[in-house]
Amino acid sequence: MQFTLNGVPATVDAHPMRRLLDVLREECGLTGTKEGCGEGECGACTVLVDGQAVVSCLVPVAQVAGADVRTIEGLGTDHALQHHFMNEAGAQCGICTPGMIMTASTLPKDATLEEIRVALAGNLCRCTGYEAIYRAIQRANEERA
Amino acid sequence: MKTATSGLSLREPHSVEDAYRMMREERLTPIAGATDLFVGLNFGTLDARAFVDLSRLDSLRAIAVKDDVLHIGALASYTAIMQSGEVRERVPMLVAAAGQVGGVQIQNRGTLGGNIANGSPAGDSLPVLAVADALVVMCSVDGERRVPFTAFHTGYRTSVLRHDEIIVCVEIPRIEGRQWFRKVGTRAAQAISKLVMAGVRGDTTRVAIGSVAPTVLRLPRTETLLSVGGNIDEAVAELQQEIAPIDDIRSTADYRRQVAANLLRRFWSDTA
């Protein structure tokens, strides 16, 4: 099956019911996407499908045939969210971070703190207490503005 | 937990007609957003092995008003429901419910049809459909049939849907009166409800409640009392007769009785 992965056409040979998460990590070698709970509660495995944040542990890979899939690797190595998550200490153990950043990347640059909180309600962090994460997203958005 | 895919099959119809035909010929479990089904599959608690993916059937995604009736396609996601001007104008309580389903990632994939088919008495949208006097439209190779939402579920996760039928649409007539919705869970997002209630206060008041019985319940006697001007204390006493909550992993029967009473009072004061 074929889809677009981080802007590049990808062809994978995978069972249609495999989790998108497993195909990304094991077939495509993109291990930036993490597995947390495996039941759609924690958001660690968040990727974008056609621009929308989804939990890749609950997506049968057949459902992304022809779609535009974007993972944390697709943001490159010089992204404002990446810098500000570091600067604000928005990451500690780092497992939630790729998912946090992918969800944050869907926010408009003028998102209010309340909008950021609502958008990130499906991304759990057990280390930071979220304040540093919200701050990092606000700083990154200021830079985009 | 990684899905064991050996022994699983997936049919991928590209038209609703194909889907109806496949479901007549084979015993298939439909997948739409997969947000609930894949949880069971990943954890090995789902027995089904043969699936049919409905997610490509774009004709089931539309939200439109026809003859003053709101039609919401079964594949409409919670996000699409929240963004729809028609739904916001006509059924704000459904927008409120959609915003309480999981987090954004689940709202982007989960579908209204899936919430109905899944049939959990804790489904967030279901009390809304019950008080909205919604009709569920089902279709198969034999054609279409409609049932009132309140007659759709027949017991715990059972319904009148035949195995060869697909839920295609929900029809919601214009609703007169003030709408109200409240979900009570362990946190605002990502929690399955301990209790969920929707109400419409108008010439005839309607109340429905989830997680207090094997199916979402309308409360006809409570509604009658409130509609004829009975006082809220009598209505709360009647509500206690109409619900049958149990202790389970999310809450206790006692807690649910207390919160059900509190919610009915809150509905009544908020819509006064």
Side-chain angles (χ1 to χ4, degrees), chain A residues 57-69:
Chain A
C57 72
L58 297 186
V59 177
V61 71
Q63 291 192 341
V64 303
D68 180 37
V69 177

Side-chain angles (χ1 to χ4, degrees), chain A residues 15-20 22 26 35 37-43 46 49 52-55 57-66 99 103 118-124 130, chain B residues 1-3 5-10 12 31-39 41-43 51 53-56 77 79 83 102-106 108-109 187 189-192:
Chain A
H15 191 288
M17 290 293 279
R18 277 188 84 186
R19 304 185 302 177
L20 175 58
D22 298 326
E26 294 169 11
E35 175 161 19
C37 65
E39 57 178 12
E41 296 277 347
C42 79
T46 300
V49 173
Q52 285 193 317
V54 307
V55 277
C57 72
L58 297 186
V59 177
V61 71
Q63 291 192 341
V64 303
T103 305
V118 170
L120 262 67
N123 290 83
L124 304 187
Y130 301 99
Chain B
M1 204 183 307
K2 201 180 295 183
T3 315
T5 50
S6 63
L8 301 183
S9 67
L10 182 67
E12 299 179 70
I31 300 181
T35 51
D36 191 72
L37 185 140
F38 241 46
V39 175
L41 194 65
N42 292 344
F43 281 82
F51 300 90
D53 182 18
L54 306 183
S55 68
R56 308 262 161 199
S77 68
T79 298
Q83 290 173 346
V104 170
Q105 295 94 328
I106 300 297
N108 284 339
R109 297 299 282 189
R187 66 192 286 266
Q190 294 294 62
I192 296 172

Side-chain angles (χ1 to χ4, degrees), chain B residues 212-229:
Chain B
V212 294
T215 65
V216 164
L217 293 181
R218 278 280 295 264
L219 305 176
R221 299 200 304 272
T222 304
E223 292 175 10
T224 302
L225 268 174
L226 290 172
S227 296
V228 301

